[in-house]
């Protein structure tokens, strides 16, 4: 028994200081009262915390909702069951006789619970860092093949998102048949995507299960179509190139119009003309009269000045004539007596 536990420790890559913790983690409640249920409770919390930290560091761009969705799918029973199978945990289980006969060592719930109990035992034996390191080693290969954007989403959701991303109408689900008794019915559902001419069927124990099965087949058919498989980056690059070409053509057209325009064709902008008209219309009448009167003042002043000059020159002419007459009289000889 001791050698067997050493093999499990090698697979876990962790050596227990207290071997009794390891035995208790492997003991089912059907075996004895000293079972792994309390360790399972503790290990569940250690697992959730460790996986949350791993995802937080690994996916820096995922928001809280996506991180929660991915974590929930990594710590669910099916995921733990698959990891327990890779470790061969079923070979080390301690089960009661009833569970052994019923094949309990193959039951997913028992294997998943036992793996959580092992994480709890590691925490008590070596601390959180030891448990975290073991969990990270076990989950690293799983995360290498996980798409965080799709993990945890059902087939109907993935199909809907895929079609919406390509601007295609949502699929239609139709129940085409039901079989069996009321307590054990089997549903047959047809899923159609009219635009892509896709029509597939699925069956299940419930209508929802049948729709999921049909959606999964439809998604597989849609993803096979090469016309829809173009990456978004390629589409964005083509759209950007098209916009750049359109802008260049517009600039060339404007340049051509400017080169063909004549210099004499330049006209006063309509807005400037309207502004000028509005200014003239709003100018007060008194102001215009004042401007007109001011312009006529110089002409009137010039006229008055000329008249005054002529008035001043008349007496001077008369005085000169009298002086000339006196001079002529003095030159004449005196008359004989």
């Amino acid at each position: 028994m001791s050698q067997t536990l050493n093999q499990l420790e090698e697979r876990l890559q962790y050596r227990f200081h207290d071997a009794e913790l390891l035995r208790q983690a492997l003991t089912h409640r059907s075996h004895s009262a000293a079972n792994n249920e309390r360790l399972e409770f503790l290990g569940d919390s250690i697992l959730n915390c460790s996986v949350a930290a791993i995802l937080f560091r690994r996916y820096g761009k995922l928001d809280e909702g996506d991180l929660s969705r991915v974590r929930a799918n990594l710590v669910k029973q099916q995921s733990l069951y698959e990891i327990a199978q890779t470790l061969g945990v079923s070979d080390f289980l301690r089960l009661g006789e009833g569970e052994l006969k019923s094949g309990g060592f193959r039951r997913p719930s028992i294997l998943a619970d036992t793996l959580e109990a092992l994480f709890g035992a590691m925490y008590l034996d070596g601390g959180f860092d030891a448990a975290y390191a073991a969990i990270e080693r076990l989950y690293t290969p799983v995360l290498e093949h996980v798409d965080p954007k799709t993990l945890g989403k059902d087939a109907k959701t993935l199909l809907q998102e895929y079609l919406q991303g390509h601007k295609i109408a949502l699929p239609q689900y139709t129940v085409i048949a039901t079989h069996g008794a009321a307590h054990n019915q089997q549903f047959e559902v047809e899923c159609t995507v009219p635009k892509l001419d896709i029509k597939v069927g699925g069956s299940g124990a419930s209508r929802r299960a049948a729709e999921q099965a049909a959606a999964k087949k439809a998604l597989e058919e849609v993803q096979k179509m090469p016309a829809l498989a173009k990456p978004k980056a390629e589409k964005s690059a083509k759209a950007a190139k098209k916009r750049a070409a359109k802008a260049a053509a517009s600039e060339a057209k404007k340049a051509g119009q400017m080169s063909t325009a004549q210099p004499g064709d330049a006209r006063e902008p309509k807005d400037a003309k309207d502004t000028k008209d509005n200014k003239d219309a709003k100018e007060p009448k008194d102001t215009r009269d004042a401007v007109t009167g001011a312009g006529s003042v110089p002409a009137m002043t010039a006229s008055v000045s000329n008249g005054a000059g002529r008035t001043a020159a008349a007496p001077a002419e008369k005085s000169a004539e009298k002086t000339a007459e006196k001079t002529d009289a003095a030159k004449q000889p005196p008359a004989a007596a």
Side-chain angles (χ1 to χ4, degrees), residues 200-220:
V200 294
S203 59
S206 65
R207 178 174 177 173
R208 187 177 186 281
E211 289 178 350
Q212 292 288 351
K216 184 178 180 180
K217 293 181 181 179
L219 182 62
E220 293 172 354

Side-chain angles (χ1 to χ4, degrees), residues 36 38 78 118 131 142 150 223 238 256 269 299 327:
N36 62 9
R38 284 173 55 83
Q78 181 63 28
L118 286 170
V142 176
T150 60
Q223 291 176 336
K238 287 185 177 181
T327 302

Side-chain angles (χ1 to χ4, degrees), residues 252-315:
K253 185 176 179 181
K254 290 181 180 179
Q257 291 176 350
M258 292 177 64
S259 62
T260 56
Q262 298 297 328
D265 292 341
R267 298 179 180 179
E268 185 181 7
K270 183 179 179 181
D271 293 343
K273 185 177 180 182
D274 293 342
T275 303
K276 184 177 179 182
D277 293 342
N278 292 337
K279 183 176 180 181
D280 293 343
K282 293 180 179 179
E283 187 177 8
K285 182 177 180 182
D286 296 342
T287 305
R288 292 199 297 271
D289 293 343
V291 172
T292 305
S296 63
V297 168
M300 294 176 66
T301 304
S303 176
V304 171
S305 299
N306 292 336
R310 287 194 298 270
T311 305

